[in-house]
Amino acid sequence: MKGVRYIFVLFLLLLSGYAGAAEKSSAPEKVDVKKIIFEHVKDTYEWHITTVGEKHVSISLPVILYSSRTGWELFSSSVFHEEDNYKGFYISYLGDNEGKIVELDENGAERRPLLDLSITKTVLSVFVNALLLIVIVLCTARWYRHHKPENGAPRGFVGIMEVLITMVVDDIIKPNVGKNYKKYTPYLLTAFFFIFLSNLMGLLPIFPGGANVTGNIAVTFALALCTFIAVNFFGNKEYYKEIFWPDVPSFLKVPVPMMPLIELFGVFVKPFALTIRLFANILAGHTVILAFVCIIFITMSVSTYIGTAMTFVSVVFTIFMNVLEFLVAFIQAFVFTMLSSVFIGLSQPEHHDSKH
Amino acid sequence: MSFLLPETGLLFWMLISFGIVFFILRKYGFPVITSMIDERKKFIDDALLNAKAANEKLASVEEQSRKILENANAEQVRILREAVAVRENIIKEAQEKAEVESGRIIAVAREQINQEKEEALRDIRAQVAELSISIAEKVIRKELADNKERDNYMNTLIDEAFSTDKSQE
C-alpha cells in the first residue's frame, strides 16, 4: 500500500513536470484540441512516435502513387521534411484532402493522384497486426500439432487462446450459423482475432500499437466486404428465393417489386451496419481517451495549479477509459463476429423455414 | 467528412493483408486447433462412456464372482455331505461283509471240527473194538477153564456193552 502511494506521488510529479514543459512551449498559442485528436486518429504518411525537445522522432514510410501525370512513383515520405513539393506532389493542408498527398491538375486545381497505395501509418499497423496474428495463431497451432488429445488441455497462453477460440466457436458461430458452421469457422475466427488484436494494439500508447486501425472506415469496410462475400457468394437457393421472391402477398411483388427491392436493399445495408458500428465505436473510444489527455494541456494553458489538479482527474479518467476500451475492444470484436455469423446464418435458411 | 470515406490505398492493403492472413490461418492455423479441440472433446466423451461401461462391467463381474463363490460353497457342502454318507455306507457294508464272512468261516471251522471229531471217535471206537477183542481173546484164553464163571462174565460184559451203547445214543 505504501509503495503504491510513493509510485503515485512520483507519477504525479512526473506528470506535472511534463505538463509544465508543455505549457512553456505552447503558452503563446492556443491548444487546438480538435487538431491534436484528429492528428492522432487520422491516417498519416509517417509514423510520429514522440517529440523530444524540438526533434520529431518518427518513422518515414514509403509513398506509392500512380498519377496520370508522372506514372508510378515510389519515394519516402521523409522527402516532405526537406521540401514541401516533391515532383509536384505535396501534402494538402486545407480542404477535403487535408493531410493527403495531392497534385495539381492542368487547370491548377488540387486533386488526388489516380491511385495512392502508400504504406501509411494505418497500413503499416495493419501489416504489424497481421504478422502478429499469424505468429500468435501459428504458435498456438504448433502446440496442437505436437500434442495428442490424450495429453490434456493446454496451459498458459495457448490455454487463453483455446478459451477464446472455444468461446467464439461455441457461443457465436455454432448457434448463429447453423449446421454448416465448419465452413465458415476459419473466416469468422480470423475476423474476430484480427479485430480484437487490432483493438488491443490501438490501446497501446507507443510505436507498434497506438494506430487507429479498426477506427478507420476503410479497414472496417474491408472486413464487412469479406462478410458480404461470405454471405452472398455462398448463400443457398432459399436465400436468393427469399430476396427476389419472398413469401408475401403477391400484390407486394408483382406489379411493383416492392418487397424484393426492400430485401435487396437489406443485403447492402447489412455490411454497412457492420462497417459503421465497429468504426464508430473504436473511433469514439480513441477520441474520448485523447480528449481526456488533452484536458491536461487545456487547463495547463489556463493555470498551472488548476492544470496540476486536473492532471490527476484526467489521469484517473484516462485509466478508466482505457479499461472501458479494453472491454469495448472485446465487445466490438464479439459483436462483429456475431453479426457476421447471423448474416451468414440467414444466408443458409433451411428448406422448411420458408414454408411456414 | 473525410473520416467516412474509405481510402482506396488503405482498402487495398487491408484486403490484401487480411486475405493473406485468412488464407494462412485457414490452412495452417485454425482448423488444426478446432479439429484438435473437437478431437479432445470426443476423446473425453469416449473416455467417460468407457469409464461408465467399465464400471458396469466391473459391477457385473463382481456379481458373477459372488454367484460363483456361492455356488462353490453350496457345492462344497453338498460334496462333503455326500462324502460323509459314502464313508458311512462303506463302513457299514464292510462291517456287514465282515460279519457274514466271519460267520461263514466259523461255520466251516465248526463243521471241520465236527468231522474230525467224528473221525477221531470212529478211530477210537475201532481201537476200542480191537482192544476189547484182544482183551476178550486174552480173557477167553485165560477163563476157558471155568465155564460158569465164563458165562457170568460174558453176560456181565454184554450187559455193560448194551448199557454203554444206550448211554451213548
Side-chain angles (χ1 to χ4, degrees):
Chain A
M1 201 55 218
K2 214 174 173 186
V4 171
R5 200 175 302 158
Y6 277 127
I7 291 167
F8 188 65
V9 170
L10 187 71
F11 185 51
L12 270 188
L13 277 174
L14 278 174
L15 272 177
S16 55
Y18 271 120
E23 187 199 26
K24 228 182 282 167
S25 59
S26 64
E29 54 192 295
K30 213 165 152 270
V31 181
D32 188 352
V33 180
K34 200 179 154 195
K35 188 166 165 277
I36 293 174
I37 293 175
F38 274 23
E39 268 175 7
H40 275 87
V41 296
K42 271 182 91 165
D43 206 1
T44 51
Y45 289 96
E46 59 172 20
W47 198 322
H48 181 242
I49 294 170
T50 184
T51 304
V52 183
E54 291 295 307
K55 202 170 179 293
H56 290 281
V57 180
S58 55
I59 300 169
S60 301
L61 301 169
V63 175
I64 305 162
L65 296 172
Y66 180 77
S67 165
S68 51
R69 191 166 53 83
T70 58
W72 287 101
E73 286 288 341
L74 169 66
F75 54 91
S76 164
S77 68
S78 61
V79 295
F80 294 118
H81 290 308
E82 277 109 48
E83 44 191 336
D84 282 344
N85 197 315
Y86 177 80
K87 286 187 183 173
F89 299 107
Y90 61 97
I91 296 176
S92 174
Y93 291 99
L94 284 168
D96 287 343
N97 295 327
E98 191 186 337
K100 306 271 166 62
I101 287 179
V102 289
E103 60 179 357
L104 293 174
D105 63 9
E106 297 82 22
N107 305 324
E110 246 181 28
R111 67 163 187 207
R112 297 275 284 132
L114 219 56
L115 262 180
D116 180 1
L117 300 180
S118 306
I119 309 295
T120 59
K121 181 183 171 184
T122 313
V123 173
L124 181 62
S125 216
V126 166
F127 288 169
V128 170
N129 293 349
L131 205 67
L132 204 60
L133 183 61
I134 289 173
V135 169
I136 287 174
V137 176
L138 289 190
C139 282
T140 311
R142 212 179 88 93
W143 187 93
Y144 287 93
R145 263 186 232 284
H146 291 260
H147 287 75
K148 288 199 176 79
E150 301 90 272
N151 295 132
R155 292 161 176 279
F157 183 75
V158 181
I160 294 173
M161 289 298 288
E162 178 169 328
V163 168
L164 282 174
I165 291 171
T166 325
M167 191 269 301
V168 173
V169 172
D170 289 347
D171 294 348
I172 306 178
I173 301 176
K174 262 188 214 171
N176 290 320
V177 176
K179 63 177 180 349
N180 275 339
Y181 77 93
K182 282 232 162 89
K183 199 165 85 180
Y184 298 98
T185 304
Y187 165 66
L188 291 167
L189 281 172
T190 312
F192 176 85
F193 281 103
F194 189 87
I195 295 168
F196 189 40
L197 186 73
S198 296
N199 288 348
L200 290 183
M201 291 295 280
L203 290 179
L204 288 179
I206 49 154
F207 164 59
N212 181 26
V213 176
T214 35
N216 191 303
I217 200 159
V219 173
T220 58
F221 183 71
L223 288 166
L225 202 64
C226 295
T227 299
F228 180 80
I229 291 169
V231 169
N232 291 292
F233 285 20
F234 299 101
N236 64 10
K237 227 164 47 184
E238 292 295 317
Y239 170 67
Y240 282 105
K241 186 185 160 285
E242 278 180 17
I243 290 173
F244 294 111
W245 199 252
D247 277 339
V248 288
S250 305
F251 65 86
L252 284 173
K253 49 189 179 183
V254 170
V256 185
M258 200 161 77
M259 283 311 289
L261 270 181
I262 291 172
E263 292 278 351
L264 201 63
F265 187 63
V267 169
F268 292 99
V269 163
K270 280 170 191 166
F272 273 98
L274 285 177
T275 310
I276 302 294
R277 182 189 299 273
L278 180 57
F279 149 76
N281 270 292
I282 304 303
L283 183 65
H286 278 257
T287 312
V288 171
I289 289 176
L290 288 166
F292 276 124
V293 174
C294 281
I295 286 176
I296 301 170
F297 301 108
I298 298 167
T299 50
M300 271 298 175
S301 66
V302 177
S303 150
T304 315
Y305 297 109
I306 300 174
T308 313
M310 280 311 285
T311 303
F312 173 71
V313 176
S314 166
V315 167
V316 170
F317 270 105
T318 311
I319 291 170
F320 170 72
M321 276 312 293
N322 265 312
V323 175
L324 189 69
E325 279 306 301
F326 188 82
L327 190 66
V328 171
F330 178 78
I331 290 173
Q332 287 312 313
F334 189 95
V335 167
F336 187 95
T337 317
M338 198 181 69
L339 286 177
S340 296
S341 309
V342 169
F343 295 155
I344 291 172
L346 287 176
S347 77
Q348 320 263 313
E350 302 275 323
H351 191 65
H352 58 82
D353 279 355
S354 58
K355 276 195 171 169
H356 57 67
Chain B
M1 278 308 283
S2 64
F3 273 118
L4 292 175
L5 288 175
E7 277 288 318
T8 329
L10 183 50
L11 194 63
F12 171 77
W13 289 116
M14 174 63 197
L15 281 174
I16 286 188
S17 41
F18 186 77
I20 292 170
V21 170
F22 171 57
F23 280 110
I24 290 177
L25 296 189
R26 195 186 68 164
K27 194 143 198 322
Y28 306 106
F30 289 122
V32 178
I33 300 172
T34 46
S35 65
M36 163 83 166
I37 290 174
D38 284 348
E39 263 173 44
R40 193 193 305 140
K41 233 177 241 170
K42 207 171 148 279
F43 175 75
I44 291 171
D45 285 351
D46 285 354
L48 282 174
L49 279 179
N50 284 346
K52 206 182 160 199
N55 267 339
E56 275 168 7
K57 210 173 186 180
L58 189 69
S60 77
V61 165
E62 265 172 10
E63 178 73 9
Q64 262 178 355
S65 64
R66 206 177 54 78
K67 261 183 196 161
I68 289 172
L69 263 179
E70 267 176 15
N71 284 347
N73 276 338
E75 187 79 351
Q76 187 194 23
V77 168
R78 195 182 59 77
I79 289 171
L80 277 177
R81 204 169 287 155
E82 267 181 13
V84 167
V86 165
R87 186 188 64 185
E88 276 169 4
N89 221 16
I90 288 170
I91 290 172
K92 216 168 118 192
E93 269 179 15
Q95 270 176 348
E96 278 171 5
K97 218 181 248 176
E99 264 170 35
V100 168
E101 188 72 358
S102 62
R104 194 181 61 80
I105 289 169
I106 288 170
V108 167
R110 194 172 283 158
E111 207 171 314
Q112 223 167 357
I113 289 169
N114 275 344
Q115 274 179 359
E116 280 175 7
K117 198 173 85 184
E118 294 268 322
E119 271 175 27
L121 277 178
R122 218 176 284 141
D123 273 1
I124 290 171
R125 256 186 215 141
Q127 278 182 1
V128 167
E130 270 177 32
L131 270 180
S132 43
I133 288 168
S134 66
I135 291 170
E137 270 178 7
K138 278 172 191 164
V139 169
I140 290 169
R141 271 176 207 144
K142 201 180 118 185
E143 301 277 337
L144 274 179
D146 187 0
N147 275 341
K148 207 176 174 195
E149 214 175 305
R150 185 191 60 187
D151 285 346
N152 282 344
Y153 186 63
M154 282 294 279
N155 283 336
T156 335
L157 278 176
I158 289 163
D159 283 344
E160 273 175 7
F162 271 116
S163 66
T164 42
D165 271 355
K166 266 176 192 170
S167 71
Q168 255 181 2
E169 280 165 8

